[in-house]
Amino acid sequence: MSINSFLVQLLNGLASASSLFLVAAGLSLIFGVTRIVNFAHGSFFMVGIYIAYSLVDKLGTGFGFWPSLVLAAIAVGVLGALIEMVLLRRIYKAPELFQLLATFALVLVIKDAVLWIWGPDELLGPRAPGLSGSVMILGRQFPSYDLFLIVVGPVVLGLVWMLLTRTRFGTLVRAATQDREMVSALGVNQAWLFTAVFALGAMLAGLGGALQLPREPATLELDLNTIGAAFVVVVVGGMGSIPGAYAAALLIAEIKAVCIWLGVVDVFGIPVSFSKLTLVVDFLVMAVVLVWRPWGLFGRPQAPSRYVGMVEEPLRRAGKPYLIAAGLFGLVLVAMPILTAASPYTTVLMIDLLIAALFAASLHFIMGPAGMHSFGHAAYFGLGAYGAALLVRSSGMPMELGLLLAPIVAALGALVFGWFAVRLSGVYLAMLTLAFAQITWAVVYQWDNFTGGSNGLTGVWPAPWLSDKNNYYWLTLALVALGVLWLRRVLFSPFGYALRAGRDSVLRSDAIGIDVKRMQWVAFVIAGAAAGLAGALYAFSKGSISPETLSVGKSVDGLVMVLLGGVQTLAGPVVGAVTFTWLHDTVARNTDYWRAMLGGIILLLVLLFPQGIAGFAKQLFERRRPIATTVELEEQKA
């Protein structure tokens, strides 16, 4: 580890920071003005590199190379404008989380569109003409194109800064970032301002992708890999701050470069692989920054709000018709294995649906009544699954006891993570939960001797009396029903009402003596325990477990379930979990382009039912209820 190699590695970090900054700058702009957490921003990066590949192929690798990169960025900007006008403009008045659901559906649609147009194979672009060689720096060869990228980052930062500070458009953008309603009241066409900002943000992401063509192949995994890193940069730098995004990109890229340079180092006789830390170092940085400075490096602290929750009716206990319907539905669920004896797969699918329902209900517990958005809820699901598997495999513990102790393992994780998370709010809280989930995933993924590493754990089977899938289904049904009813019972307790009070107004709750942070912390532990039970049931139902159970994708699935069913209804997460899991299974088994079809269905549901499926059903029932009451009164008078 020489000083020369260290300096060259820092230069590599600068090159990586430039491309990361381009994506993060666009994401920060879009969020600052539209307040949309654009999950599809990584897809714009992916589309940019694919379009650049095709344009270079058509225009040639010589003179046509550089215009191809610019045209690819413009094409992505046009795509972003079309998406904003056709879809997002229709849901600006919907809750922010439903906008997140819509952009997630776009990720699925765009991924399959790219698969259909360019195929599943990796596409490696040509070297940049004029910059295909390398230069000698400190006795080492350094790619000329990377030097070009090092310059691109500050140049784009300067151009964006001039656009935002020296033009009327920039003045409007900065004004909209501070107060969108006031900008609209002053006569500014807010719709076209949003479209222009979204197109500019998409164009920056497309440019970032196009510039990566000579460095890395175009693959279908670039979207989710990129959006995770971009979210981290935006949050660390401060939401809406372009200079903050550049500073955060530099910080994270250089720390990764240092980790690669260190390699494997003996620390007190123990070999530590710093190069493996690159999988999670950005999330470690984000966790440290958010704990130390909750609004990011260049962000501004938010003033306490007198009202932060949505207007909701008070919780009401279930009426007699609802209880009768729930009882009949429960009887049908109990009899399901008998009714579907000719289709054993149906029983397996029903187990998955029940587990998904408990997982979604646990996430809804902290999202709805507590008002805390979590992007990393899969951590507790995975801790429960691995806790059950390791207890049974390592200690020879009976499966039944391992199933009971697994929620405690998950609750302990929630106890630690929640202590830090409840000190934040909004997007910053959500991103901190994501950071903790990714840190947990990295530990599980790399601890080969204990967790099995990337291969996971196998041979996690239930007790002999549960080897029959019907028996395991009935056990799952009983535990899931108890878990969901327990969460519901907690919400109707004084603790549940205090939790909702803290969500609706922190200042008023503090004034009457409610310790809001402690209430939220306890809610994290309760939700973590329920998610851990779902994870343990999942592990024993599949007979194996892998790090995928803690991944970002699993957390996103939980978010989609809750939002699809409806945040403002207690039945929403169960309805959303069953709908999403059933659609995912059915669509995936009937078409190769299941992501696009599933994304299209989700988009349709978001547009038709912005309050969720269960929320729409509740509204429909309440509209008919006064009519029915009037008819009954007239009959009584007659």
Side-chain angles (χ1 to χ4, degrees):
M1 294 189 295
S2 64
I3 189 64
N4 289 349
S5 63
F6 173 72
L7 294 175
V8 171
Q9 199 60 247
L10 291 182
L11 288 177
N12 282 325
L14 288 175
S16 300
S18 291
S19 58
L20 187 56
F21 162 70
L22 290 175
V23 186
L27 184 62
S28 187
L29 271 175
I30 291 173
F31 177 83
V33 175
T34 67
R35 291 297 186 270
I36 288 181
V37 182
N38 182 23
F39 216 92
H41 205 68
S43 300
F44 295 147
F45 178 90
M46 178 181 69
V47 172
I49 191 171
Y50 272 101
I51 293 179
Y53 177 87
S54 295
L55 288 175
V56 169
D57 185 57
K58 295 293 184 182
L59 300 180
T61 58
F63 178 77
F65 179 86
W66 298 106
S68 297
L69 302 189
V70 177
L71 290 174
I74 295 173
V76 175
V78 173
L79 174 63
L82 291 174
I83 289 175
E84 194 279 337
M85 290 187 292
V86 174
L87 174 63
L88 298 181
R89 189 176 291 183
R90 301 174 184 271
I91 60 174
Y92 277 133
K93 294 184 179 180
E96 292 180 1
L97 286 174
F98 281 96
Q99 298 168 1
L100 173 67
L101 178 59
T103 59
F104 169 73
L106 281 174
V107 172
L108 300 178
V109 174
I110 293 174
K111 184 184 284 286
D112 267 5
V114 171
L115 174 63
W116 180 66
I117 296 173
W118 284 282
D121 298 330
E122 294 184 352
L123 303 178
L124 183 61
R127 293 182 178 274
L131 297 174
S132 57
S134 60
V135 296
M136 187 68 68
I137 298 179
L138 299 175
R140 294 177 178 270
Q141 297 290 334
F142 191 80
S144 302
Y145 188 75
D146 283 7
L147 288 176
F148 166 74
L149 288 181
I150 292 174
V151 176
V152 166
V155 169
V156 173
L157 173 62
L159 292 175
V160 172
W161 181 81
M162 291 181 63
L163 177 67
L164 295 179
T165 58
R166 302 296 177 88
T167 65
R168 182 176 182 273
F169 172 76
T171 302
L172 294 177
V173 169
R174 288 184 287 116
T177 302
Q178 297 296 322
D179 194 331
R180 292 183 296 172
E181 288 73 17
M182 183 59 70
V183 170
S184 179
L186 292 174
V188 176
N189 190 327
Q190 194 179 69
W192 287 113
L193 178 64
F194 283 12
T195 301
V197 169
F198 201 90
L200 177 60
M203 187 174 68
L204 287 174
L207 179 61
L211 288 173
Q212 289 301 300
L213 184 64
R215 298 188 78 207
E216 61 178 308
T219 68
L220 294 172
E221 304 304 320
L222 284 175
D223 51 358
L224 291 182
N225 292 340
T226 303
I227 191 60
F231 272 142
V232 170
V233 170
V234 170
V235 171
V236 171
M239 301 295 287
S241 173
I242 303 300
Y246 186 72
L250 280 177
L251 175 65
I252 292 172
E254 293 297 1
I255 291 177
K256 282 189 174 183
V258 171
C259 288
I260 295 173
W261 174 72
L262 289 174
V264 180
V265 179
D266 286 335
V267 179
F268 300 109
I270 301 175
V272 177
S273 177
F274 282 90
S275 57
K276 289 185 177 181
L277 282 177
T278 55
L279 292 173
V280 72
V281 69
D282 43 358
F283 293 97
L284 282 170
V285 171
M286 182 171 69
V288 171
V289 169
L290 289 182
V291 170
W292 164 60
R293 190 177 171 85
W295 49 87
L297 296 176
F298 286 72
R300 297 179 180 177
Q302 298 176 345
S305 175
R306 294 183 178 274
Y307 177 78
V308 294
M310 295 182 62
V311 177
E312 293 186 22
E313 295 182 0
L315 286 176
R316 291 189 176 92
R317 296 189 181 275
K320 189 174 181 180
Y322 183 89
L323 292 175
I324 293 174
L328 293 175
F329 182 66
L331 291 176
V332 172
L333 289 178
V334 171
M336 187 62 71
I338 300 173
L339 298 175
T340 60
S343 177
Y345 178 74
T346 303
T347 303
V348 175
L349 178 59
M350 288 300 299
I351 292 173
D352 291 342
L353 293 177
L354 290 171
I355 294 172
L358 180 58
F359 176 57
S362 68
L363 177 56
H364 174 266
F365 184 82
I366 56 176
M367 281 185 61
M372 296 182 292
H373 305 153
S374 174
F375 288 179
H377 202 64
Y380 316 121
F381 184 89
L383 285 174
Y386 270 94
L390 291 170
L391 286 172
V392 171
R393 282 171 51 97
S394 302
S395 63
M397 183 181 294
M399 171 262 179
E400 296 86 350
L401 184 57
L403 190 61
L404 293 176
L405 293 179
I408 299 177
V409 175
L412 291 175
L415 183 71
V416 176
F417 297 161
W419 188 86
F420 294 97
V422 298
R423 281 153 174 76
L424 307 179
S425 61
V427 176
Y428 294 106
L429 184 150
M431 295 307 296
L432 185 58
T433 60
L434 174 62
F436 285 136
Q438 283 299 100
I439 293 169
T440 306
W441 171 84
V443 172
V444 170
Y445 187 83
Q446 298 182 35
W447 201 349
D448 295 331
N449 297 333
F450 188 60
T451 64
S454 58
N455 296 321
L457 298 172
T458 58
V460 189
W461 298 110
W465 66 279
L466 293 171
S467 58
D468 184 353
K469 278 297 180 183
N470 290 345
N471 292 340
Y472 194 82
Y473 167 81
W474 283 315
L475 174 68
T476 303
L477 176 61
L479 292 178
V480 168
L482 288 174
V484 173
L485 290 175
W486 176 56
L487 292 174
R488 184 183 179 91
R489 177 68 185 86
V490 171
L491 291 180
F492 282 100
S493 68
F495 171 82
Y497 288 111
L499 197 61
R500 281 168 54 93
R503 177 203 63 185
D504 293 339
S505 179
V506 175
L507 295 178
R508 292 180 181 179
S509 299
D510 285 336
I512 62 175
I514 296 176
D515 191 337
V516 176
K517 298 303 181 185
R518 180 173 295 181
M519 290 285 182
Q520 292 176 337
W521 189 18
V522 174
F524 253 96
V525 176
I526 293 173
L533 176 60
L537 289 170
Y538 178 83
F540 289 120
S541 70
K542 302 302 180 184
S544 62
I545 197 68
S546 72
E548 294 300 315
T549 55
L550 300 102
S551 66
V552 175
K554 186 67 178 178
S555 295
V556 171
D557 287 348
L559 277 172
V560 173
M561 294 172 192
V562 174
L563 298 175
L564 200 57
V567 180
Q568 295 184 338
T569 57
L570 297 183
V574 176
V575 173
V578 172
T579 303
F580 177 78
T581 307
W582 178 78
L583 281 174
H584 188 287
D585 178 80
T586 303
V587 173
R589 285 190 290 114
N590 288 282
T591 177
D592 292 334
Y593 299 100
W594 61 270
R595 296 181 190 87
M597 185 173 292
L598 180 61
I601 293 172
I602 293 175
L603 283 175
L604 184 63
L605 291 174
V606 168
L607 293 174
L608 294 178
F609 314 122
Q611 69 277 45
I613 299 173
F616 173 77
K618 180 182 177 183
Q619 285 187 355
L620 194 63
F621 176 76
E622 289 177 349
R623 288 174 185 173
R624 296 175 58 89
R625 193 173 179 181
I627 299 176
T629 303
T630 303
V631 172
E632 291 174 0
L633 289 174
E634 290 179 353
E635 290 178 351
Q636 290 176 3
K637 291 179 180 179

